[in-house]
Amino acid sequence: CTLDSEVALRVGGDFFFDPQPGDPPVKLVLIAGGVGINPLFSILLHIADLHEYQESKGYGYKMGTVKLYYSAKNTNELLFKKNILGLMNAFPGKITCRFHVTQQGSQICKELQPHVTGK
């Protein structure tokens, strides 16, 4: 998003991401806190499937970029962090994530350091 961009927000409740092959590409920003990552992680896995299908077949829905912002008390409470790192590595520039920790008491592992902000 850029300054003055129009965005749609959805907080809680029933939601899903199911674009059809003829739909225009969209850029998604997913924001999660704590266990709220569960439905967004499912969406992220679906997006990875869409990327894989489009890359292997050359047709289907062409996904835009996805940015995930995920916050927790510390890195131990970041659910699916290794899976999310794997998706970022598998789809560089297409899937990105910033982890934010609010009460980190120990050293952050080297693998996560470039993707973590906070205390």
Side-chain angles (χ1 to χ4, degrees):
C1 296
T2 59
L3 186 60
D4 295 327
S5 292
E6 185 175 320
V7 297
L9 294 177
R10 175 75 191 228
V11 179
D14 265 348
F15 60 95
F16 57 92
F17 180 68
D18 188 25
Q20 300 306 303
D23 292 347
V26 295
K27 295 178 181 179
L28 291 181
V29 176
L30 305 174
I31 302 169
V35 297
I37 188 65
N38 282 297
L40 299 184
F41 183 64
S42 293
I43 289 172
L44 206 57
L45 291 175
H46 181 59
I47 288 164
D49 288 343
L50 291 171
H51 278 306
E52 284 178 356
Y53 186 85
Q54 213 279 330
E55 288 174 4
S56 68
K57 303 285 186 192
Y59 59 89
Y61 181 72
K62 186 173 173 81
M63 185 66 217
T65 58
V66 178
K67 295 185 181 202
L68 170 66
Y69 295 92
Y70 179 21
S71 179
K73 285 184 189 176
N74 55 58
T75 55
N76 290 333
E77 292 190 13
L78 291 168
L79 305 177
F80 311 118
K81 63 183 168 262
K82 291 203 183 288
N83 303 85
I84 293 168
L85 289 173
L87 291 173
M88 288 193 304
N89 290 330
F91 303 100
K94 295 178 181 179
I95 296 176
T96 58
C97 180
R98 293 296 304 164
F99 299 106
H100 182 77
V101 292
T102 59
Q103 298 175 21
Q104 185 72 22
S106 60
Q107 184 79 9
I108 296 171
C109 73
K110 218 172 216 183
E111 187 179 31
L112 281 177
Q113 281 179 0
H115 309 287
V116 175
T117 59
K119 300 174 183 183

